[in-house]
């Protein structure tokens, strides 16, 4: 629970940081957008004002042309043009043509043409004396008649050929741009020397509290006669930023990312838990396998001790049986009246008693510290012994044992008795498997040949085969699919074969039944390291 609460707190903090960072980014983008819009509007207003002050120069040029057209001044025509200009362009409040004879005397000035807005103070030509005196003919210059007002005078001195004449336009800065020509919420300030004007189009001063910063764009018009500086400003409000939809989208996206992060965190935690559980299961499986291996080893050790004890206990009665049978044969030779059938039985007892003694001796050596040594062993002879030994039992079961021995038979490097024990166990297992099939199909084939430089023993049967789930475990101790089986016969075969550097494998034949294959090293060129055990 604490871990989940901590995870929830971390995710909530991450979401808050993400939302705040996104909001700041959106806020800055909105401010940048407003500044870009204001810069564009300032460029447009500057272009508009530049066109209009260029018109002032054009008006002066046209009237100067009228004044210089002939020897006499066309006062009436100039007056008509001046009246038309003032009527058509409200920002031009007065058009005057002045002349002078003596610039230092007020009486030396005289106004030739004057078209002025009603109520406008009359022009004082003598105050223009210094401006006109320094002005170059044909180049307009501006002056401010009274600082703090919105009017300025645009003066153009005519060339000397026209006489001592000058044209004067009185221009109102407030009329240069109409309010509806400005973007909503902006303020335009115009300045030319001491003259200044301010034009508002819905501009609202900032209120109390937190609000976006004010912004302004300044432009200086490149006109030598009318060097006007304009400043377009605005105080944006929160509504001007238009952050509603972007913030809502940001919240939705951040919440989606938060949900995705939470889902990924839960899945990762579940994956970690699953890996932990899988690892614990693997550890438990390894421990269980180790315990099973230890249990198998304990049972094998116990069986080894039991086999050693059984071998020790059976050795005495077998020795007695061998001795008594040999004594009976010697007595029969002395008396000469023993039937031939009885003699054959006694000879068979002697042979099998010796064989049983050999088996017990090798069993004790197998479970002891001194295993039997390998020697050259004719596997054909061993196969013949197995046929003779198991013939009666197989016939009683209705099982037919066929042998296929290569000529010459392979000679393996193995202990003869233990090779016979391997064949015996494999044939017996095959016979047990044939108990579940009809008697006419109970057949075992024992193949003896060579393959891949090894002596090979193959035991085939026509039984049901090995169960698929059991095929990989047939050589493990105490693993058997027979109801009364102990699971030791094949395990002993594997131990014997591996002891002599051979291999054993089990498979199911395609045509049905099981096949056990034993490979043993050949005896060619080998010499025994010790005498075989009797």
């Amino acid at each position: 629970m604490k871990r989940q609460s901590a995870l929830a707190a971390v995710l909530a903090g991450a979401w808050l940081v993400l939302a705040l960072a996104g909001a700041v980014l959106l806020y800055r983008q909105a401010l940048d957008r407003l500044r870009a819009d204001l810069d564009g509007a300032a460029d447009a207003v500057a272009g508009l004002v530049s066109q209009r002050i260029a018109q002032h120069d054009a008006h002066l040029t046209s009237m100067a042309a009228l004044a210089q057209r002939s020897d006499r001044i066309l006062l009436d025509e100039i007056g008509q043009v001046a009246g038309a200009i003032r009527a058509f362009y409200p920002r031009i409040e007065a058009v005057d043509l002045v002349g002078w004879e003596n610039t230092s005397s007020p009486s030396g000035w005289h106004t030739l043409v004057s078209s002025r807005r009603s109520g406008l103070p009359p022009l004082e030509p003598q105050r223009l004396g210094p401006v006109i005196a320094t002005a170059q003919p044909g180049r307009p210059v501006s002056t401010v008649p009274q600082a703090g007002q919105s009017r300025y005078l645009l003066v153009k001195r005519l060339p000397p050929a026209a006489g001592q004449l000058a044209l004067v336009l009185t221009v109102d800065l407030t009329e240069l741009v109409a309010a509806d020509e400005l973007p909503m919420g902006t303020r335009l300030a115009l300045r030319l020397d001491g003259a200044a004007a301010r034009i508002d189009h819905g501009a609202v001063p900032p209120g109390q509290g937190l609000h976006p910063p004010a912004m302004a764009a300044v432009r200086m018009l490149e006109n030598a006669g009318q060097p006007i500086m304009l400043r377009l400003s605005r105080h944006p409000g929160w509504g001007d930023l238009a952050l509603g939809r972007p913030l809502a989208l940001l919240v939705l996206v951040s919440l989606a990312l938060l949900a995705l992060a939470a889902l990924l965190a839960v899945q990762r935690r579940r994956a970690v838990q699953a890996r932990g559980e899988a690892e614990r299961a693997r550890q438990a499986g390894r421990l269980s396998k180790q315990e099973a291996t230890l249990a198998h080893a304990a049972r094998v050790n116990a069986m080894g001790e039991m086999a050693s004890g059984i071998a020790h206990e059976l050795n005495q009665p077998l020795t007695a049986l061998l001795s008594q049978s040999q004594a009976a044969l010697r007595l029969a030779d002395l008396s000469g009246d023993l039937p031939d059938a009885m003699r054959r039985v006694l000879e068979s007892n002697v042979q099998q008693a010796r064989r049983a003694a050999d088996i017990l001796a090798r069993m004790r050596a197998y479970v002891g510290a001194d295993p039997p040594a390998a020697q050259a062993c004719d596997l054909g002879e061993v196969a013949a012994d197995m046929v003779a030994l198991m013939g009666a039992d197989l016939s009683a079961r209705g099982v037919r044992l066929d042998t296929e021995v290569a000529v010459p038979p392979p000679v393996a490097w193995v202990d003869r008795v233990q090779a016979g024990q391997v064949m015996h166990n494999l044939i017996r297992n095959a016979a047990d498997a044939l108990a579940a099939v009809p008697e006419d199909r109970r057949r075992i084939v024992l193949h003896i040949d060579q393959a891949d430089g090894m002596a090979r023993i193959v035991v085939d049967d026509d039984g049901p085969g090995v169960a698929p789930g059991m095929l990989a475990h047939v050589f493990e101790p105490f693993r058997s699919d027979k109801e009364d089986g102990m699971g030791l016969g094949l395990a002993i075969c594997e131990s014997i074969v591996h002891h002599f550097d051979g291999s054993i494998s089990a498979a199911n034949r395609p045509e049905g039944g099981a096949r056990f294959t034993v490979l043993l090293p050949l005896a060619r060129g080998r010499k025994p390291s010790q005498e075989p055990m009797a």
Side-chain angles (χ1 to χ4, degrees):
M1 181 63 69
K2 292 183 179 179
R3 184 176 298 177
Q4 293 178 352
S5 300
L7 177 61
V10 170
L11 290 177
W15 173 81
L16 182 60
V17 171
L18 179 64
L20 289 177
V24 170
L25 179 61
L26 290 175
Y27 172 74
R28 296 188 63 176
Q29 289 179 345
L31 288 180
D32 292 341
R33 175 177 53 80
L34 290 179
R35 290 191 182 96
D37 293 344
L38 188 64
D39 285 339
D43 291 337
V45 172
L48 182 64
V49 174
S50 296
Q51 292 176 0
R52 290 175 178 175
I53 62 177
Q55 291 172 351
H56 302 162
D57 293 336
H59 296 328
L60 291 176
T61 300
S62 62
M63 289 190 296
L66 288 176
Q68 302 176 63
R69 193 176 63 178
S70 64
D71 294 338
R72 65 183 184 86
I73 299 176
L74 302 179
L75 297 181
D76 292 340
E77 293 183 10
I78 294 175
Q80 292 175 1
V81 171
I85 291 174
R86 193 181 61 78
F88 193 74
Y89 298 100
R91 62 181 179 274
I92 302 177
E93 295 184 320
V95 179
D96 294 284
L97 175 62
V98 297
W100 66 93
E101 295 176 357
N102 184 1
T103 59
S104 60
S105 172
S107 60
W109 292 87
H110 51 275
T111 301
L112 301 178
V113 174
S114 180
S115 176
R116 307 181 66 81
R117 179 178 60 82
S118 174
L120 187 68
L123 184 67
E124 299 180 6
Q126 66 275 14
R127 297 184 62 179
L128 297 176
V131 176
I132 294 174
T134 58
Q136 296 183 7
R139 292 187 177 182
V141 294
S142 59
T143 183
V144 177
Q146 185 174 355
Q149 292 185 351
S150 62
R151 298 184 183 89
Y152 72 93
L153 303 180
L154 183 61
V155 180
K156 184 174 184 179
R157 182 177 178 177
L158 273 62
Q164 303 293 328
L165 299 174
L167 287 168
V168 181
L169 298 183
T170 303
V171 181
D172 189 357
L173 289 175
T174 58
E175 298 294 334
L176 271 177
V177 180
D180 58 3
E181 292 178 319
L182 301 177
M184 177 61 69
T186 60
R187 170 179 293 172
L188 176 64
L190 299 172
R191 181 176 297 276
L192 190 153
D193 293 336
R198 190 178 71 182
I199 306 165
D200 290 342
H201 188 196
V204 179
Q208 299 296 326
L210 186 64
H211 52 80
M215 52 188 66
V218 179
R219 300 289 186 271
M220 188 68 192
L221 303 184
E222 297 180 357
N223 187 294
Q226 303 171 81
I228 296 176
M229 183 188 73
L230 63 86
R231 182 177 184 271
L232 187 65
S233 63
R234 72 178 302 172
H235 292 277
W238 292 110
D240 296 326
L241 299 179
L243 293 176
R245 288 186 179 180
L247 285 177
L249 181 61
L250 172 65
V251 172
L252 292 177
V253 171
S254 61
L255 286 176
L257 292 176
L258 177 65
L260 179 60
L263 179 61
L264 292 177
V266 171
Q267 291 181 346
R268 182 177 181 276
R269 185 173 69 250
R270 289 178 179 175
V272 171
Q273 292 176 351
R275 286 196 297 268
E277 293 176 357
E279 181 62 26
R280 287 191 292 271
R282 284 194 294 269
Q283 292 178 356
R286 286 195 294 268
L287 291 176
S288 177
K289 187 175 181 179
Q290 290 176 357
E291 291 176 356
T293 303
L294 292 176
H296 286 169
R299 288 196 293 269
V300 169
N301 291 335
M303 287 300 297
E305 294 177 0
M306 182 176 67
S308 180
I310 292 174
H312 177 72
E313 295 297 330
L314 290 180
N315 193 50
Q316 293 180 359
L318 283 175
T319 301
L321 177 60
L322 179 59
S323 299
Q324 294 297 333
S325 296
Q326 289 175 336
L329 286 175
R330 285 194 295 271
L331 291 175
D333 290 338
L334 293 176
S335 61
D337 56 356
L338 187 66
D340 291 340
M342 186 61 70
R343 184 183 297 274
R344 287 195 298 271
V345 171
L346 290 175
E347 289 177 350
S348 177
N349 286 346
V350 170
Q351 181 182 4
Q352 297 305 325
R354 286 177 176 172
R355 174 175 174 77
D358 287 341
I359 292 174
L360 292 176
R362 281 156 175 78
M363 184 180 295
R364 293 182 64 182
Y366 174 73
V367 300
D370 192 14
Q375 59 182 340
C377 175
D378 189 328
L379 295 183
E381 296 178 357
V382 178
D385 291 343
M386 289 304 102
V387 172
L389 176 63
M390 305 184 71
D393 179 63
L394 295 177
S395 297
R397 296 189 185 194
V399 177
R400 185 173 80 256
L401 175 60
D402 296 334
T403 59
E404 297 177 357
V405 182
V407 180
V411 178
W413 190 249
V414 67
D415 180 72
R416 180 187 180 90
V417 175
Q418 291 201 337
Q421 186 175 355
V422 170
M423 288 188 194
H424 181 275
N425 287 350
L426 294 179
I427 294 171
R428 185 187 59 191
N429 277 356
D432 292 341
L434 291 173
V437 301
E439 188 170 343
D440 59 342
R441 292 173 47 197
R442 297 178 185 177
R443 179 174 177 264
I444 300 173
V445 180
L446 175 62
H447 306 267
I448 306 293
D449 59 5
Q450 294 184 25
D452 300 328
M454 302 283 283
R456 183 170 63 178
I457 304 170
V458 180
V459 178
D460 290 340
D461 65 66
D462 293 332
V466 183
M470 188 65 187
L471 194 58
H473 307 285
V474 293
F475 297 109
E476 295 181 7
F478 308 107
R479 295 291 294 268
S480 176
D481 55 358
K482 294 185 291 188
E483 295 182 358
D484 56 348
M486 295 182 64
L488 289 175
L490 292 177
I492 292 174
C493 290
E494 184 184 43
S495 298
I496 293 173
V497 171
H498 286 177
H499 174 71
F500 294 104
D501 298 328
S503 65
I504 184 170
S505 61
N508 286 320
R509 299 192 303 160
E511 63 271 22
R515 168 173 291 176
F516 286 83
T517 303
V518 177
L519 297 177
L520 293 170
L522 294 172
R524 62 169 69 109
R526 296 177 183 259
K527 294 183 179 180
S529 59
Q530 63 181 31
E531 292 296 327
M533 298 183 64

